[in-house]
Amino acid sequence: MTEQGEPEVLKEVQLPDPTPGPGEVLIRVKAAAVNFSDVMRRRGDVYPVPTSLPFVPGAEVAGTVVAVGDGVESPVVGTDVFGTVGSDTSGGYAELAVASAYNVIPVPGGLDLATASGVIVSGLAATVILADLAKLREGETVFIPAAAGGVGSYAVQIAKQLGAGTIIAGASTSEKRDIALQLGADHVVDYTTATWIDDVRAITNRRGVDVALEMSGPTRLAETLSILAPFGRIVVYGSVSGSVSGLDPKALEQLLYDPAPSQSLIGFNLGTWFAERPGQSVAALQRLVGWVSSGEVSAPSVQVLPLSEAAHAHRLLESGQTTGKLVLQP
């Protein structure tokens, strides 16, 4: 894209083949995951790193290593890998993409490339949010919005792996709520209705939840804060609304001052986590891959579209009608 805006700014073009520098590998992309962060950068939303134009979206891919830069001993040429690409997590919507050798790992047996392409951003985010940030403990209650989507579908299953006592899933349609139940949720609510807060309170006998995830935006944050139990933790990992404005300061008064029930509000960005805590990131990824490889956690269903339909993929994701993971295939 040479400008930011609606999906139509995404154009299929021919660019020179990239070459791997020291410590990098060149991947022939077989599948490129479509993440909401791609949508945010296309739209020009507030984002942790600059989006310099012209820009090729795509944070994570799966494919085959076709060349390596100086100093790279592993993975070798011919290895099927998956991981994040680009120095600023970009460049994946392409036939060829460059990645740091440190940011890719071999695809384990039994995992197809289309599925593998979407493991990192969604699956690792869910793992880190629940295990490392929220520190979900056995027997606790957790609320997971968008539970049939990429992060949400992983989060429901990972919460179960971590021993959550009650998993409440939020989803906007009956089909999505059915998916959440199949993934292991104990209860489902339609969090687009005016009664969803009362529904959650009824499920928890008015105590609230110990852990809540939030990804809609500031206007929804106040509602999610209202379902937290004493000592509850809420982790905000994005704003699909496209805005970071509109937070009512009064929503924070109870959290901080009256009655200050020892609750925590945590902001999360996967790129920052990778950069600042690489050791923990690798450990969390190994844990996630172990769950997926063993079948204890199932990767979301995958809808594959041709790379040429990237704009259509973004429309589908923004519509909120998708389930599972969207993947582009060159």
Side-chain angles (χ1 to χ4, degrees):
M1 63 189 198
T2 56
E3 60 179 325
Q4 291 171 306
E6 297 299 315
E8 289 73 27
V9 301
L10 294 173
K11 306 291 185 184
E12 188 177 30
V13 300
Q14 292 293 328
L15 298 175
D17 290 352
T19 56
E24 295 180 333
V25 297
L26 181 65
I27 301 169
R28 183 164 297 283
V29 178
K30 302 294 181 62
V34 180
N35 292 298
F36 213 90
S37 57
D38 303 335
V39 172
M40 295 175 70
R41 300 184 81 172
R42 188 212 77 221
R43 295 191 308 203
D45 295 352
V46 173
Y47 197 73
V49 296
T51 300
S52 300
L53 300 172
F55 183 77
V56 178
E60 60 177 336
V61 307
T64 305
V65 175
V66 293
V68 300
D70 291 342
V72 175
E73 297 181 358
S74 177
V76 299
V77 171
T79 304
D80 285 341
V81 297
F82 68 105
T84 56
V85 296
S87 59
D88 63 346
T89 56
S90 69
Y93 292 8
E95 295 175 310
L96 294 168
V98 169
S100 166
Y102 184 77
N103 288 343
V104 299
I105 60 175
V107 177
L111 192 63
D112 66 89
L113 291 175
T115 301
S117 71
V119 167
I120 298 285
V121 170
S122 297
L124 185 57
T127 303
V128 170
I129 287 169
L130 290 171
D132 295 291
L133 287 177
K135 299 186 186 302
L136 179 66
R137 292 185 288 268
E138 190 170 347
E140 289 191 317
T141 299
V142 58
F143 172 71
I144 298 168
V151 175
S153 58
Y154 273 113
V156 169
Q157 299 176 84
I158 290 168
K160 186 73 76 174
Q161 289 296 315
L162 295 174
T166 303
I167 299 170
I168 305 171
S172 59
T173 68
S174 59
E175 177 192 5
K176 292 180 179 181
R177 291 191 287 276
D178 286 342
I179 290 172
L181 289 170
Q182 292 166 13
L183 291 170
D186 300 295
H187 302 274
V188 290
V189 297
D190 182 351
Y191 70 130
T192 65
T193 68
T195 63
W196 82 273
I197 293 173
D198 290 333
D199 295 338
V200 171
R201 286 175 175 163
I203 293 168
T204 61
N205 294 318
R206 306 204 66 78
R207 178 180 179 274
V209 302
D210 300 296
V211 171
L213 278 56
E214 212 306 291
M215 35 63 75
S216 296
T219 55
R220 176 61 64 87
L221 178 60
E223 296 181 3
T224 307
L225 281 168
S226 73
I227 66 170
L228 273 192
F231 300 95
R233 292 87 70 198
I234 181 170
V235 181
V236 178
Y237 64 96
S239 177
V240 299
S241 67
S243 173
V244 294
S245 301
L247 176 63
D248 183 355
K250 290 188 176 182
L252 300 179
E253 287 180 3
Q254 181 173 327
L255 173 72
L256 299 173
Y257 304 111
D258 183 19
S262 301
Q263 296 167 334
S264 302
L265 175 60
I266 307 164
F268 171 71
N269 174 264
L270 187 61
T272 302
W273 188 267
F274 262 122
E276 298 292 332
R277 299 190 175 180
Q280 282 183 267
S281 298
V282 171
L285 181 56
Q286 290 172 338
R287 190 179 195 184
L288 171 65
V289 171
W291 282 330
V292 174
S293 299
S294 67
E296 294 172 281
V297 170
S298 299
S301 61
V302 173
Q303 180 180 353
V304 178
L305 295 172
L307 179 64
S308 58
E309 295 186 19
H312 179 53
H314 276 220
R315 291 189 201 98
L316 289 174
L317 192 59
E318 285 181 283
S319 72
Q321 299 174 10
T322 60
T323 60
K325 199 72 184 174
L326 285 170
V327 170
L328 297 174
Q329 194 170 63

